[in-house]
Amino acid sequence: MTAEQAKISDALPAELTAWPGWAPDEEQLGELELITSGVFAPLPGYLTTADLASVDARAELADGTPWPIPVTLIVPAAAVPADADHLVLRDQEGAPLAVVEITERADTDATGSTIRLAGPVTALRPPVHGPFRALRRAPAEVRPVLSQGAQEESSTPVLALATRRPLGQRQIGQLKHLAGQLRARILLLPLVTGQADLVTRPEALVRAVLAAARQLPDGTLVVPLPLPPRSNPVQELRARAVVAAAYGATHLLTDGVRPSGETRERSGKNEFDLKRLGLQILTEGEWAYDPLAEVWRPLGLIEPGMERGELSDGELGALLDAGDLVPEWLMPASVAAELRRARPPRSQRGVVVFCTGLSGSGKSTLARDLRDVLLERGDRTVSLLDGDLVRQLLSAGLTFSREDRDLNIARIGYVATEVARHGGIAICAPIAPYAAARAGVRRMVSEVGDFVLVHVSTPLEVCEARDLKGLYAKARSGVIGSFTGISDPYEEPADADLAIDTSVVSRGDAVATVLAHLTRGGWLA
């Protein structure tokens, strides 16, 4: 144990082992870090019912302190005994990060399965893992850096941009223009909790923002922040304003999240004046690319009809998927390089072909035949995760209960995701009877690659007539319980990319159908 570790351990409360513990999810860990690092100051912890009602009605805490967004902790009721007055919050590896002193608990729904906790938070140790951790500095570290050279900290204009997407030439041009007008330092806040636009992964977003920062004036700072996304655009803007103000920003460029021009939101609640945070909101304005001057500039300065707008995410994504060059008038070469790294052409990108269907439907045969053809081609790395083999190795000991079936599919999805992460093709062939479990695999895979769902839709009566392993006969006689299609349901996919009925399609045609889809999609040449 190092001296630093010993110092941290000595500071941990003696009661720690007696208090219940729980590991928050990614978004909750993000908000916890914002509380303990001082980004959410003056909040001491999670809001009470009175605070939440006041925030909802007046965008301030119950004591009148301006505060525009709810900050809550919702946990499974089973994680917190009724008599518990503290809860230890742990990271995904089990290390304690903070303790919540529970001053209030409330059911979140009629079932009582989850509860909302309120109370002050005491940090035990800072998070130490995750990409670009060294850049995730607290406001107390960043504010003095931004104010260097000024007589007073408040006299230094700081132009902030909080973003969930890579910066292109338009945003870079606007930042240069506004910073020049304001004589301001630039602060870039890539928001790294939740999915990033275009590049998906938070570390890819940070790399792209760092590449863009090299096109901006010296002294530009990049501070990644774990701010969870909010579905309400007004709440999203307020949250971005809160974190920007915490770091000393005096101006915030909205990056597509526009402030409402009305005095009241659509819900009828009073709109929060972001100037109460000491922050002025700057809208993006209408800018376009001027091909004659070869610069981005306000639309009014461009000869009518000559302007060129940005590509949509779909258009830019199509360029990346095909491996085509991203035009430099749209993205600096260094940013485009990071986009290509994060989103390589489909011919080089990992993909999971997930075959689902009843026992005896032909999904394992299809999966093995597809693997063999791809191995013969030799242009992609291929891994096969067949349901029976997985049950013998990866999921040995699991039963056929709903919970164990879901765990089996989650394990398959985890391994398939790792194959896709490294650019391979993973072919999976479990029964996977439940839509929610299949959707969970799709989410995992989509963070690192692509997902193709193949429903091997051979009818039950055909599968039962085949019954090569005698399983249907045993299920009908009651020897086997919880058998999909007989005593357990199979939820047919509504989101399948392909449906193949092997009772009417030959083995060769079934494989050809999948190969044609992979070729059309660009995963195969």
Side-chain angles (χ1 to χ4, degrees):
M1 176 180 290
T2 66
E4 181 180 1
Q5 289 172 322
K7 182 178 180 181
I8 292 175
S9 299
D10 290 344
L12 297 180
E15 306 92 340
L16 195 66
T17 57
W19 292 333
W22 182 69
D25 63 25
E26 179 193 15
E27 292 192 359
Q28 291 170 319
L29 284 173
E31 287 205 329
L32 174 64
E33 184 175 335
L34 295 175
I35 292 171
T36 57
S37 65
V39 177
F40 273 178
L43 294 192
Y46 298 103
L47 300 185
T48 65
T49 299
D51 284 327
L52 290 170
S54 183
V55 167
D56 187 55
R58 299 181 298 279
E60 60 185 32
L61 302 178
D63 64 4
T65 301
W67 188 261
I69 55 173
V71 179
T72 60
L73 178 65
I74 296 175
V75 304
V80 189
D83 60 348
D85 55 7
H86 291 80
L87 178 66
V88 181
L89 301 181
R90 303 181 181 277
D91 65 18
Q92 297 302 312
E93 296 177 350
L97 297 175
V99 173
V100 182
E101 181 184 345
I102 303 171
T103 60
E104 179 182 289
R105 67 178 73 201
D107 291 338
T108 60
D109 56 35
T111 67
S113 59
T114 58
I115 56 176
R116 178 179 56 79
L117 301 181
V121 171
T122 300
L124 299 177
R125 64 181 78 198
V128 294
H129 299 297
F132 297 106
R133 173 57 61 183
L135 296 181
R136 287 165 69 160
R137 295 181 287 174
E141 299 176 69
V142 173
R143 278 178 172 265
V145 176
L146 290 172
S147 64
Q148 283 176 358
Q151 296 298 316
E152 298 180 10
E153 183 175 323
S154 60
S155 67
T156 306
V158 176
L159 172 62
L161 175 65
T163 184
R164 301 189 188 278
R165 60 183 302 109
L167 305 186
Q169 296 283 23
R170 177 178 63 80
Q171 293 90 351
I172 291 170
Q174 288 176 324
L175 285 166
K176 287 181 177 179
H177 173 72
L178 292 170
Q181 285 187 327
L182 298 168
R183 296 186 178 180
R185 295 283 297 271
I186 297 176
L187 173 64
L188 301 179
L189 303 172
L191 305 176
V192 295
T193 294
Q195 184 168 301
D197 295 338
L198 285 174
V199 294
T200 306
R201 295 293 304 165
E203 62 272 15
L205 173 63
V206 177
R207 289 197 303 266
V209 171
L210 287 169
R214 292 194 286 271
Q215 310 293 319
L216 293 168
D218 292 342
T220 296
L221 289 187
V222 177
V223 181
L225 285 180
L227 181 70
R230 285 158 170 78
S231 57
N232 182 319
V234 173
Q235 290 293 323
E236 176 71 9
L237 176 60
R238 290 178 176 183
R240 295 187 188 194
V242 165
V243 299
Y247 281 90
T250 55
H251 299 77
L252 176 67
L253 185 60
T254 55
D255 186 34
V257 182
R258 298 182 181 278
S260 170
E262 302 172 1
T263 58
R264 299 178 73 83
E265 299 177 24
R266 290 183 179 180
S267 64
K269 299 181 178 68
N270 287 327
E271 185 174 317
F272 178 71
D273 184 357
L274 294 174
K275 291 182 180 178
R276 296 177 71 185
L277 298 175
L279 197 66
Q280 182 178 344
I281 302 298
L282 304 177
T283 57
E284 292 176 300
E286 293 189 356
W287 277 49
Y289 180 69
D290 185 344
L292 297 179
E294 298 184 339
V295 294
W296 284 82
R297 56 172 52 175
L299 186 60
L301 301 178
I302 304 174
E303 182 179 337
M306 295 297 297
E307 71 277 3
R308 184 182 297 171
E310 287 187 297
L311 299 184
S312 68
D313 283 359
E315 292 169 327
L316 182 52
L319 285 180
L320 295 169
D321 289 348
D324 295 336
L325 290 177
V326 177
E328 195 155 355
W329 63 264
L330 183 69
M331 292 274 177
S334 58
V335 177
E338 293 300 338
L339 296 189
R340 288 193 297 271
R341 182 187 300 181
R343 187 167 172 168
R346 280 187 169 179
S347 60
Q348 302 171 21
R349 191 184 311 164
V351 59
V352 173
V353 180
F354 194 94
C355 302
T356 173
L358 296 170
S359 177
S361 62
K363 61 188 180 301
S364 293
T365 299
L366 172 60
R368 288 194 295 268
D369 288 349
L370 178 62
R371 175 204 57 189
D372 292 345
V373 171
L374 293 175
L375 288 175
E376 290 171 6
R377 291 169 55 106
D379 53 349
R380 298 296 303 263
T381 302
V382 185
S383 298
L384 174 63
L385 298 171
D386 183 65
D388 291 338
L389 290 174
V390 167
R391 278 281 180 179
Q392 294 172 25
L393 299 172
L394 190 64
S395 295
L398 294 185
T399 69
F400 288 89
S401 67
R402 173 69 184 256
E403 293 75 16
D404 278 5
R405 285 178 183 268
D406 287 348
L407 180 55
N408 178 52
I409 299 306
R411 289 177 177 178
I412 292 173
Y414 175 80
V415 176
T417 297
E418 292 306 304
V419 172
R421 187 189 306 277
H422 297 285
I425 296 179
I427 305 170
C428 308
I431 293 175
Y434 304 120
R438 295 192 298 261
V441 176
R442 184 187 289 271
R443 283 192 299 273
M444 275 195 289
V445 172
S446 296
E447 289 193 0
V448 300
D450 295 323
F451 184 85
V452 175
L453 181 62
V454 179
H455 178 205
V456 184
S457 57
T458 310
L460 172 62
E461 58 270 19
V462 176
C463 298
E464 189 168 1
R466 291 172 176 172
D467 203 17
L468 297 178
K469 303 173 185 176
L471 299 177
Y472 282 97
K474 292 180 180 179
R476 291 291 188 190
S477 64
V479 175
I480 298 177
S482 301
F483 190 81
T484 302
I486 303 298
S487 52
D488 232 34
Y490 177 79
E491 299 172 3
E492 292 197 359
D495 57 345
D497 299 283
L498 292 173
I500 299 174
D501 180 351
T502 64
S503 68
V504 297
V505 175
S506 69
R507 282 177 61 176
D509 287 344
V511 173
T513 298
V514 179
L515 288 172
H517 181 81
L518 295 176
T519 301
R520 284 194 304 272
W523 295 287
L524 297 177

